[in-house]
């Protein structure tokens, strides 16, 4: 059994070598397919990152009237903090608000002058509310309509990252759809090429196969090299793909920091952490698909 | 050793291969099968190693009923029957030794055993010195002897040779027939399908004549008569 397995592997390598160019074409097609799939994975990662990045920055500023007391403001802060949708509430007191305003307009004499005309501090306190997800904002805004606070609140300002997120989503959704269609087409071509490679392989080896059967090789032994070749193809294809994907991701990832305020896209980390899953599953699925194509080809052309 | 009982073979749609053959070949016999082209000689031979299945009737080889042999068991049968064909069927990219070893390799025989057996069978066919040649570097007779050597690796009890000398000149034909006789003397049952009148007449062994798929004569120490 062990001897036969080794021999079947040897025969598979011989087959691969004898149809070298055909094997190369087959593996290349598998690599193309896997590359599109990996591009999709990268895209998925970057999108997720971009969306969380944008979502992190969505906030509602709740401006209180200057005459509202610090208790009323902190009541509202505590109330918001208690909502499960709220991630973080920051309180900017009226004094801080005034300081910020002065700082921002430090170079503008006119504004500073008009500010000093006003009695006391014209600024009220502000709450800066962050949510867990963009979808939670309508709820939070509604919650602030609570009669307990409503009359103290001058204005609610919804800094709108929402449209950005929508744009990210719709763009990536479209790219993703295109990517899925492309990998689908590549996969189909890959299957046909594997099928054809096996067909030609059977044709090239038909004499050898005939002799094998005449001298008493079992059917399993006749078929095994073709199936082992499948494993060889996917192993090669996945390895080559990994060798292309890793350096590409490594060079690409830091470039994302331009968009993400100095943070990387996290794609490299994702790949380094999960490479055995990502490529392991690709290998297994690719092998299974190849084997199915091979078995269909053998059933059709290998009369055993 | 080989039993045919009312065996008929019809190829689709309704081409008659052989019809109603009754035949008994005893262990150690040397049987020649003769007949004109298309009379069913190869069909008969192929049924002995389950290359063709009978349409009706029963076939037993070595006490084993192979009439409806399962696909799974065919390799086991093939390892007990040596087969030699007219078209040599050697692999051109393998050397003589490798061609012979191939039959053992695909049957899962260990490398150690292969190293033992290959020189033995090459010695039997008198090709010990040509193990490293490629088929294209051999004469027709030598190539056919390699095929015979390959058919012997499993020490078969039966050797079926379908026109093994069809492509050979007189001298090489003699070589092959002498080889088959030698193998037969070692105890192997030999079934020889041939067109060659001199061969059959010189053998002075049992001759079965086929015509239109039927046995028309079966004579111990027969002669070639059509
Ligand atoms: N695979 C097949 N399909 C259909 N008909 C076949 C097949 N093999 C053989 N035949 C037919 O069966 C008949 C017997 O053929 P077979 O090959 O047994 O003859 P043969 O005696 O060996 O002839 P030859 O001396 O020319 O080799 C012929 O009519 C042939 O055409
Ligand atoms: Mg014939």
């Amino acid at each position: 059994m062990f001897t036969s397995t080794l021999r079947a592997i040897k025969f598979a390598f011989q087959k691969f070598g004898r149809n070298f160019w055909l094997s190369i074409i087959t593996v290349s097609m598998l690599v193309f397919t896997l590359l599109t799939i990996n591009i999709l994975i990268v895209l998925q990662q970057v999108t997720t990152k971009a969306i969380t990045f944008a979502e992190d920055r969505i906030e509602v500023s709740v401006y209180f009237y200057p005459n509202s007391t610090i208790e009323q403001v902190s009541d509202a802060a505590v109330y918001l903090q208690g909502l499960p949708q709220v991630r973080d509430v920051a309180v900017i007191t009226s004094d801080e608000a005034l300081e910020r305003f002065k700082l921002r307009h430090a170079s503008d004499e006119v504004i500073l002058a008009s500010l000093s005309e006003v009695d006391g501090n014209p600024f009220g306190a502000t709450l800066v509310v962050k949510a867990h997800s963009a979808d939670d904002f309508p709820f939070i805004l509604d919650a602030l309509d609570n009669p307990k606070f409503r009359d103290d609140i001058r204005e609610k300002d919804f800094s709108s990252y929402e449209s950005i997120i929508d744009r990210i989503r719709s763009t990536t959704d479209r790219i993703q759809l295109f990517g899925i269609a492309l990998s689908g087409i590549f996969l189909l071509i890959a299957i046909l090429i594997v099928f054809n490679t096996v067909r030609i392989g059977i044709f090239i080896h038909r004499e050898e196969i005939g002799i094998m059967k005449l001298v008493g090789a079992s059917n399993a032994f006749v078929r095994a090299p073709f199936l082992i070749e499948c494993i060889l193809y996917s192993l090669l294809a996945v390895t080559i793909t990994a060798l292309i994907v890793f350096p590409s991701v490594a060079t690409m990832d830091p470039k994302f920091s331009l968009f993400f305020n100095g943070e990387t896209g996290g794609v490299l980390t994702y790949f380094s952490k999960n490479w055995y899953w990502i490529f392991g599953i690709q290998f297994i699925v690719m092998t299974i698909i190849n084997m199915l194509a091979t078995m269909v080809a053998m059933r059709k052309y290998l009369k055993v | 050793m080989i039993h045919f009982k009312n065996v008929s073979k019809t190829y689709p749609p309704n081409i008659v291969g052989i019809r109603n053959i009754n035949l008994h070949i005893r262990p150690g016999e040397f049987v020649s099968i003769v007949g004109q082209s298309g009379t069913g000689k190869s069909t008969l031979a192929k049924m002995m190693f389950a290359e063709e299945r009978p349409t009706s009737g029963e076939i037993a080889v070595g006490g084993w009923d192979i009439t409806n042999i399962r696909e799974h068991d065919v390799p086991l049968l093939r390892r007990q029957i040596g087969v030699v064909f007219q078209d040599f069927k050697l692999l051109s990219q393998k050397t003589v030794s490798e061609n012979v070893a191939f039959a053992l390799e695909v049957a899962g025989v260990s490398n150690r055993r292969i190293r033992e057996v290959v020189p033995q069978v090459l010695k039997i066919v008198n090709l010990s010195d040509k193990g490293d040649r490629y088929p294209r570097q051999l004469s027709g007779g030598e190539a056919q002897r390699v095929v015979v050597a390959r058919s012997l690796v499993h020490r078969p009890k039966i050797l079926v040779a379908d026109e093994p000398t069809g492509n050979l000149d007189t001298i090489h034909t003699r070589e092959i027939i002498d080889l088959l006789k030698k193998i037969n003397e070692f105890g192997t049952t030999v079934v020889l399908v041939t067109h060659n009148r001199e061969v059959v007449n010189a053998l002075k062994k049992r001759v079965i004549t086929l015509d239109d798929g039927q046995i028309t004569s079966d004579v111990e120490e027969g002669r070639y008569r059509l």
Side-chain angles (χ1 to χ4, degrees):
Chain A
M1 194 61 218
F2 179 66
T3 321
S4 294
T5 310
L6 278 187
R7 285 202 187 121
I9 293 172
K10 188 181 93 180
F11 284 9
F13 273 94
Q14 282 175 352
K15 261 206 235 309
F16 187 93
R18 273 188 226 144
N19 308 342
F20 185 72
W21 288 108
L22 205 61
S23 306
I24 292 296
I25 290 168
T26 311
V27 171
S28 311
M29 200 54 226
L30 296 182
V31 169
F32 285 138
T33 311
L34 290 175
L35 277 180
T36 47
I37 289 168
N38 282 288
I39 289 170
L40 281 178
I41 294 174
V42 170
L43 189 71
Q44 177 71 47
Q45 281 307 304
V46 175
T47 311
T48 313
K49 173 79 187 178
I51 288 173
T52 33
F53 186 81
E55 275 179 348
D56 271 357
R57 273 150 195 80
I58 306 179
E59 50 190 34
V60 176
S61 300
V62 184
Y63 301 101
F64 286 76
Y65 288 112
N67 56 4
S68 39
T69 65
I70 190 79
E71 283 78 28
Q72 286 169 324
V73 174
S74 56
D75 268 1
V78 169
Y79 168 71
L80 287 172
Q81 199 71 268
L83 298 174
Q85 289 83 355
V86 172
R87 185 155 57 92
D88 186 39
V89 181
V91 184
I92 300 168
T93 62
S94 44
D95 291 343
E96 281 166 354
L98 179 65
E99 280 310 306
R100 285 192 189 185
F101 185 84
K102 281 183 179 165
L103 213 64
R104 211 178 321 146
H105 300 282
S107 55
D108 198 329
E109 294 295 334
V110 183
I111 289 181
L112 290 181
S114 56
L115 188 65
S116 56
E117 296 286 299
V118 186
D119 277 350
N121 184 349
F123 294 96
T126 309
L127 290 183
V128 180
V129 186
K130 288 182 175 168
H132 285 294
S133 123
D135 303 332
D136 294 331
F137 280 102
F139 179 85
I140 294 169
L141 293 176
D142 277 353
L144 286 167
D145 274 340
N146 186 327
K148 221 171 130 195
F149 316 113
R150 194 171 48 203
D151 301 329
D152 300 317
I153 293 171
R154 179 169 57 88
E155 200 188 339
K156 288 174 285 192
D157 178 13
F158 189 7
S159 71
S160 182
Y161 277 89
E162 196 145 27
S163 65
I164 299 177
I165 291 178
D166 280 348
R167 246 183 320 179
I168 298 176
R169 283 227 172 99
S170 73
T171 314
T172 51
D173 278 357
R174 243 175 298 148
I175 298 176
Q176 219 149 32
L177 209 64
F178 176 73
I180 289 170
L182 195 67
S183 28
I185 292 169
F186 277 3
L187 191 63
L188 201 71
I189 298 175
I191 290 172
L192 289 177
I193 288 186
V194 168
F195 180 85
N196 191 49
T197 306
V198 174
R199 195 179 65 89
I200 293 174
I202 292 171
F203 184 73
I204 290 175
H205 293 94
R206 70 191 181 292
E207 223 190 348
E208 190 173 327
I209 292 168
I211 293 170
M212 282 167 91
K213 308 208 55 211
L214 215 54
V215 297
S218 66
N219 288 347
F221 190 81
V222 174
R223 285 159 185 265
F226 287 96
L227 294 172
I228 292 169
E229 217 182 347
C230 281
I231 302 177
L232 201 61
Y233 285 151
S234 7
L235 194 64
L236 253 173
V238 170
T239 309
I240 292 171
T241 305
L243 289 179
I244 295 173
V245 166
F246 262 105
S248 316
V249 167
T251 40
M252 216 168 50
D253 212 27
K255 304 237 161 73
F256 287 122
S257 61
L258 286 178
F259 306 104
F260 296 145
N261 245 357
E263 294 171 44
T264 66
V267 186
L268 186 60
T269 332
Y270 177 75
F271 269 89
S272 323
K273 255 197 201 138
N274 300 302
W275 65 270
Y276 45 91
W277 277 114
I278 301 172
F279 294 111
I281 289 174
Q282 287 178 29
F283 169 66
I284 289 169
V285 171
M286 202 39 120
T287 307
I288 291 173
I289 291 174
N290 286 350
M291 283 193 170
L292 288 178
T294 303
M295 286 198 273
V296 173
M298 286 198 297
R299 168 156 297 186
K300 206 159 150 46
Y301 301 105
L302 190 62
K303 298 277 176 268
V304 292
Chain B
M1 200 73 197
I2 302 174
H3 279 274
F4 277 62
K5 193 172 156 198
N6 301 325
V7 176
S8 297
K9 170 75 187 181
T10 316
Y11 291 103
N14 53 5
I15 304 163
V16 175
I18 54 175
R19 61 180 97 200
N20 205 25
I21 296 276
N22 283 289
L23 179 62
H24 179 204
I25 297 173
R26 288 174 298 276
E29 267 197 287
F30 193 125
V31 180
S32 303
I33 297 174
V34 301
Q36 257 147 16
S37 188
T39 51
K41 303 183 296 296
S42 297
T43 304
L44 185 66
K46 282 176 183 166
M47 284 187 166
M48 296 175 183
F49 49 95
E51 178 79 3
E52 294 289 356
R53 307 296 173 87
T55 316
S56 64
E58 282 167 34
I59 303 174
V61 172
W64 180 5
D65 183 352
I66 62 160
T67 314
N68 293 307
I69 186 171
R70 284 180 307 164
E71 205 46 65
H72 179 75
D73 293 328
V74 171
L76 288 177
L77 177 69
R78 301 268 168 93
R79 285 174 210 177
Q80 293 170 37
I81 301 181
V83 178
V84 178
F85 274 172
Q86 173 179 345
D87 43 351
F88 302 124
K89 297 215 173 169
L90 288 176
L91 294 169
S92 56
Q93 72 278 14
K94 287 185 190 289
T95 64
V96 165
S97 293
E98 286 165 355
N99 264 290
V100 175
F102 186 66
L104 292 159
E105 281 180 5
V106 302
V109 175
S110 75
N111 287 328
R112 203 162 54 85
R113 181 94 185 109
I114 292 176
R115 277 195 297 274
E116 268 168 34
V117 172
V118 172
Q120 281 172 12
V121 291
L122 284 182
K123 188 149 176 274
I124 294 174
V125 300
N126 215 355
L127 284 174
S128 295
D129 53 334
K130 302 208 163 97
D132 292 332
R133 294 220 192 159
Y134 285 89
R136 64 170 181 284
Q137 299 167 322
L138 299 175
S139 75
E142 286 167 340
Q144 192 61 294
R145 270 148 60 199
V146 179
V147 177
V148 173
R150 188 181 61 194
S151 74
L152 294 178
V153 292
H154 294 304
R155 301 178 178 281
K157 304 215 179 51
I158 301 169
L159 184 70
V160 179
D162 191 348
E163 301 195 28
T165 59
N167 288 335
L168 303 179
D169 60 25
T170 322
I171 294 173
H172 287 127
T173 297
R174 163 94 39 84
E175 266 176 24
I176 295 293
I177 298 302
D178 285 347
L179 184 54
L180 294 182
K181 273 161 77 177
K182 185 161 120 192
I183 292 163
N184 177 241
E185 276 155 23
F186 286 151
T188 300
T189 309
V190 176
V191 178
L192 170 68
V193 174
T194 184
H195 268 132
N196 193 308
R197 179 182 299 269
E198 287 82 59
V199 164
V200 175
N201 289 344
L203 272 170
K204 301 194 173 60
K205 302 268 186 186
R206 182 175 171 192
V207 178
I208 295 171
T209 311
L210 284 187
D211 191 15
D212 196 19
Q214 284 175 300
I215 297 181
T216 53
S217 86
D218 182 350
V219 188
E220 299 290 335
E221 253 191 68
R223 292 183 60 82
Y224 191 91
R225 245 191 314 264
L226 290 181

